[in-house]
Amino acid sequence: EVQLVESGGGLVQPGGSLRLSCAASGFTFSSYWMSWVRQAPGKGLEWVANIKQDGSEKYYVDSVKGRFTISRDNAKNSLYLQMNSLRAEDTAVYYCARVPITMVQGVITNWFDPWGQGTLVTVSS
Amino acid sequence: SSELTQDPAVSVALGQTVRITCQGDSLRSYYASWYQQKPGQAPVLVIYGKNNRPSGIPDRFSGSSSGNTASLTITGAQAEDEADYYCNSRDSSGNHDYVFGTGTKVTVL
């Protein structure tokens, strides 16, 4: 069974740091792009970051650039998100997701599947 | 960065058809994918690519696209389809940035 399990969430003060982990199982982790997506309480989904299969390319939403770092350890089938200089607006449930990418009729096509159950990060004093 | 706009809410009578739309410039270049999210649960992929359903997704869910608009259609809506639905596509910049739509709350009457 393909599965993603996040951990590491919790309560942190503004300006603090937190490291999220995502353990993958049931598929060849090193063959896929991976992503972090977050959802603030009562709000919609927001893509946060992507990482290529070998970790050589990383992309971030503008609001976290310079503060968050996505990384992976293919030997441990694990994805990480190091979050520094946390702000109240970073409060959200953070999901990790696998990102299959293929070409369909000349068009690059990607999707997020599966998703983990999410881990809650609360930034508050 | 790109934006994807969805109607905030739609309602549909049990057994009827509802179409959810997603508008954005990036959809002229990339296919949308669609996600269903029920309260307190993680999102679930329902449509990806041109019109593909993952295993386990009922065939009453279908997708289409024209110009800058992608659509998710539920034909014969069931009570269990009541949920939030989000579209997603790659950012029009061409990088591996992604953007989610604003979300549509579907109520089944």
Side-chain angles (χ1 to χ4, degrees), chain B residues 19-20 31-32 34 46-53 59-66 69-74:
Chain B
R19 174 175 290 184
I20 305 162
Y31 289 115
W34 289 92
V46 294
I47 291 290
Y48 66 98
K50 195 171 184 180
N51 180 19
N52 299 288
R53 282 177 291 105
D59 60 6
R60 63 179 178 270
F61 290 90
S62 63
S64 62
S65 183
S66 178
T69 302
S71 301
L72 173 70
T73 300
I74 308 174

Side-chain angles (χ1 to χ4, degrees), chain A residues 8-87:
Chain A
L11 175 64
V12 61
Q13 292 187 339
S17 298
L18 211 56
R19 188 196 196 206
L20 306 183
S21 299
C22 170
S25 60
F27 66 99
T28 305
F29 180 73
S30 59
S31 295
Y32 290 88
W33 282 79
M34 296 293 296
S35 281
W36 288 97
V37 177
R38 68 183 178 183
Q39 186 170 37
K43 302 297 184 183
L45 300 173
E46 180 182 39
W47 168 77
V48 174
N50 274 350
I51 186 168
K52 193 176 180 179
Q53 290 92 329
D54 62 0
S56 61
E57 294 183 36
K58 304 175 184 181
Y59 299 88
Y60 301 90
V61 67
D62 286 347
S63 59
V64 309
K65 285 179 182 176
R67 301 188 300 122
F68 289 12
T69 301
I70 189 172
S71 62
R72 64 191 298 162
D73 185 335
N74 288 340
K76 294 183 177 179
N77 291 334
S78 292
L79 177 72
Y80 306 101
L81 186 67
Q82 177 67 43
M83 303 185 295
N84 299 331
S85 302
L86 282 161
R87 306 166 180 167

